[in-house]
Amino acid sequence: MHSAVFLIEFGAIILGLGLLGRVAGRLKFSPIPLYLLAGLAFGTGGLLPMGASEEFVAIGAEIGVILLLLMLGLEYTASDLVSNLKTQYPAGLVDFGLNAVPGAVAALLMGWGPVAAVVLAGVTWISSSGVIAKVMGDLGRVGNRETPVILSILVLEDLAMAVYLPIITALLAGVSLAAGSATLAIALGVAGAVLFIAVRFGRHISRFVSSDDPEKLLLVVLGLTLLVAGIAQQLQVSAAVGAFLVGIALSGEVAEGTHTLLSPLRDLFAAVFFVFFGLHTDPASIPPVLLPALALAVVTAGTKIATGYWAAKRAGIGVKGRWRAGGTLVARGEFSIVIAGLAVTSGIEPAMGPLATAYVLILVVIGPLTARYTEPVAAWVSSRRTPPAAATRAAVPTQPGSPDGLKDQAQDPAGRA
């Protein structure tokens, strides 16, 4: 009987996601907000709670994040990754300063204390790699010039989590400095080892994985990815980082074949991942913390847009690409929930869980909207600010020998999209 209920519930979830995806496709809109609202409707405290399929959905959500990051990694080579990290590390520092500080200040203003401030700083700092990967795929932006900048920031954040999570765990548990340092050293060592193997031995890994049989290729790549992600997570390193680096290590025909084979699985489990957020959120816990969560979301949405704009400008991307980069980075997600969950489990601050959940839900709904509309809205605002006389001069063709014509010819390419 339990098996029958599970099949009915999970079948209803998948069918509902398919129908919502169709609606979003016709409206030319990302389906992520609709998936989240569906999760709220059928989760804890929703209209029709589902219990039998909850454990499977949780596992499916983890697989969804892993596959999203694997597919992102397949788009880039190891040399691309190393080059981007070397050139974009200042953007990582700016990202931390602009987005972690508001969370820490908010916690102190609410009287939660220094440990809670460090925790909430992490909640507001880290963007959602899973949501952003899905949004870029939906909008067809994986090949855009600003995408490497976005990925560099995401990877720097994920790698920073290898340092941050052990520190947070030690602070919340009140362990000794020696024990916390040992955990941190292990996490850093594992992250460095995986990165070194991906960069140095990527060709050998591709040769080992390669197969002319699609079935064998699918099984080997999927098994390798889940294995590396699981080991990384067990050793206090993000599973998402492990999956991303596996994708980086694969190249050539193997990467192309894997992309084709895993795309349907990615889409299925990614949808389950977004539903999972809603399923574990009690709508009744949101209203009491909605105003502070909304204020924090507005502030940190602006700081993320500023981060992406600055990083893309530094990389020589045109104005339109800068706004797209900023808007794409707004969404928060899996890491924010994990960090807040650690705080709630330790009993440090009961209100942290509902606040973080409301904050993530707001930004995970707004994130796809800012990714799509930040650039056109910025262009509209810029056009409204342009004086009529300047707009008239811009519309009149200039002679090649005139000063305006020479200025146009000498325009910096970085100023164009």
Side-chain angles (χ1 to χ4, degrees):
M1 185 64 181
H2 180 77
S3 176
V5 173
F6 165 76
L7 291 175
I8 291 171
E9 288 187 359
F10 193 66
I13 290 173
I14 299 301
L15 176 60
L17 293 177
L19 295 176
L20 290 175
R22 283 189 178 183
V23 172
R26 290 189 177 182
L27 297 175
K28 296 182 179 180
F29 184 76
S30 173
I32 292 173
L34 300 182
Y35 294 161
L36 287 165
L37 292 175
L40 278 174
F42 296 104
T44 304
L47 299 175
L48 185 61
M50 293 183 174
S53 59
E54 182 176 343
E55 184 176 352
F56 185 84
V57 170
I59 296 172
E62 288 190 40
I63 295 174
V65 176
I66 289 169
L67 290 180
L68 282 167
L69 271 294
L70 170 68
M71 301 296 274
L72 266 184
L74 290 173
E75 300 290 339
Y76 298 90
T77 65
S79 59
D80 291 336
L81 174 65
V82 173
S83 175
N84 287 333
L85 290 180
K86 285 181 178 178
T87 58
Q88 291 299 327
Y89 75 88
L93 298 176
V94 171
D95 180 34
F96 171 77
L98 289 179
N99 297 287
V101 171
V105 171
L108 293 175
L109 289 175
M110 289 185 285
W112 287 358
V115 175
V118 176
V119 173
L120 194 57
V123 171
T124 58
W125 172 22
I126 305 298
S127 296
S128 171
S129 301
V131 174
I132 291 169
K134 175 65 174 173
V135 168
M136 288 195 298
D138 289 342
L139 298 178
R141 294 182 181 174
V142 173
N144 281 20
R145 285 191 63 203
E146 73 273 7
T147 298
V149 175
I150 296 170
L151 290 180
S152 297
I153 293 174
L154 294 178
V155 172
L156 286 167
E157 288 181 348
D158 286 350
L159 292 175
M161 283 296 95
V163 178
Y164 178 82
L165 287 177
I167 292 174
I168 283 296
T169 303
L171 286 174
L172 294 174
V175 301
S176 65
L177 179 62
S181 300
T183 303
L184 177 59
I186 292 172
L188 288 175
V190 172
V194 174
L195 180 60
F196 175 79
I197 291 171
V199 173
R200 187 70 178 270
F201 302 104
R203 292 182 180 178
H204 301 288
I205 295 173
S206 295
R207 192 178 301 117
F208 168 75
V209 169
S210 180
S211 175
D212 294 331
D213 187 338
E215 178 184 351
K216 294 184 178 65
L217 179 62
L218 173 64
L219 292 174
V220 171
V221 172
L222 184 59
L224 177 64
T225 303
L226 295 176
L227 177 64
V228 172
I231 293 173
Q233 186 163 307
Q234 185 69 25
L235 296 173
Q236 304 298 321
V237 181
S238 165
V241 171
F244 182 82
L245 292 176
V246 170
I248 288 289
L250 302 178
S251 60
E253 295 181 0
V254 173
E256 294 177 7
T258 300
H259 193 283
T260 302
L261 290 171
L262 286 179
S263 290
L265 278 178
R266 174 201 60 188
D267 294 339
L268 169 62
F269 285 107
V272 172
F273 162 69
F274 297 117
V275 170
F276 178 72
F277 270 130
L279 287 175
H280 282 260
T281 302
D282 185 354
S285 68
I286 295 178
V289 295
L290 186 58
L291 286 179
L294 183 60
L296 196 57
V298 170
V299 171
T300 54
T303 55
K304 273 292 180 183
I305 291 174
T307 299
Y309 187 96
W310 183 87
K313 180 180 180 180
R314 182 175 177 275
I317 308 300
V319 174
K320 291 183 179 180
R322 298 171 198 170
W323 287 115
R324 287 195 296 266
T328 303
L329 286 169
V330 165
R332 294 349 185 246
E334 58 275 10
F335 273 130
S336 299
I337 294 295
V338 168
I339 294 166
L342 291 174
V344 172
T345 302
S346 70
I348 181 177
E349 181 54 56
M352 177 78 75
L355 176 67
T357 300
Y359 172 80
V360 168
L361 281 172
I362 291 169
L363 288 183
V364 87
V365 170
I366 293 176
L369 300 177
T370 58
R372 184 179 182 87
Y373 296 112
T374 297
E375 182 262 313
V377 168
W380 179 79
V381 172
S382 177
S383 67
R384 296 283 292 179
R385 289 180 176 178
T386 303
T392 303
R393 287 198 304 270
V396 177
T398 57
Q399 297 297 324
S402 69
D404 286 340
L406 292 174
K407 182 180 179 181
D408 290 341
Q409 292 173 8
Q411 183 182 7
D412 183 358
R416 299 193 297 268

